[in-house]
Amino acid sequence: REKDDKYKTWMPKFLIPKEDKDQRKSSVDVERNIFKVKSNAEKSKKMEKEEKFFREMFMYDKEIKVINTATAECSVPSKRRVDLPVTAGEQLDVIDVTEGNAVICRNSEGRYGYVLVEHLNFR
């Protein structure tokens, strides 16, 4: 009888009842959330580094606050280091307006740069 119990406890994944699968997923999600915290810490360090670089490059001493949100209409590669390369459909935070036809934007990765107004779609 002990041998029968031993073999009954082992079941392939596809034979496990649905409720048991849900319980296992929740424990896996908890483990994944722990790893996300680490990646968020790394991401915030990267964003701080980008902000520091932006302040030095643009000599920007004002408080960084989002004025508006825009969507890039088309993909534009950067020609200069101060230009922000954008892809079509990308969400950008508008930080500041310049005298010309460009605005200072921040992308989801935390990079800053100039983007021409004609490439943006404001909601």
Side-chain angles (χ1 to χ4, degrees):
R1 185 170 188 167
E2 292 176 14
K3 289 181 182 179
D4 290 341
D5 290 339
K6 186 176 182 181
Y7 291 113
K8 282 185 180 179
T9 57
W10 180 84
M11 289 199 307
K13 287 184 179 180
F14 60 88
L15 293 178
I16 296 174
K18 196 170 190 176
E19 297 168 358
D20 293 341
K21 285 183 181 179
D22 292 339
Q23 290 175 354
R24 281 192 300 118
K25 283 182 183 177
S26 63
S27 66
V28 171
D29 290 340
V30 170
E31 290 176 15
R32 287 184 181 164
N33 287 339
I34 293 169
F35 294 118
K36 285 183 183 177
V37 172
K38 287 183 181 179
S39 66
N40 286 342
E42 290 171 5
K43 190 172 184 178
S44 66
K45 282 183 181 180
K46 184 179 178 185
M47 290 183 91
E48 287 176 12
K49 184 179 175 184
E50 288 289 342
E51 182 179 334
K52 183 179 178 185
F53 180 78
F54 162 70
R55 288 187 178 279
E56 290 173 359
M57 183 73 116
F58 288 75
M59 291 180 270
Y60 196 84
D61 57 352
K62 301 180 206 173
E63 179 185 352
I64 295 176
K65 56 182 177 178
V66 179
I67 298 171
N68 201 344
T69 305
T71 306
E73 289 183 337
C74 58
S75 297
V76 181
S78 63
K79 296 176 183 170
R80 305 176 294 168
R81 175 63 181 124
V82 293
D83 292 336
L84 182 66
V86 294
T87 57
E90 183 178 13
Q91 291 284 338
L92 301 171
D93 295 330
V94 179
I95 305 298
D96 203 354
V97 180
T98 61
E99 293 178 7
N101 61 346
V103 291
I104 299 174
C105 293
R106 175 178 62 197
N107 65 8
S108 60
E109 296 173 359
R111 290 195 58 199
Y112 296 84
Y114 290 115
V115 179
L116 294 176
V117 176
E118 58 201 39
H119 300 301
L120 299 176
N121 182 14
F122 296 92
R123 290 188 238 164

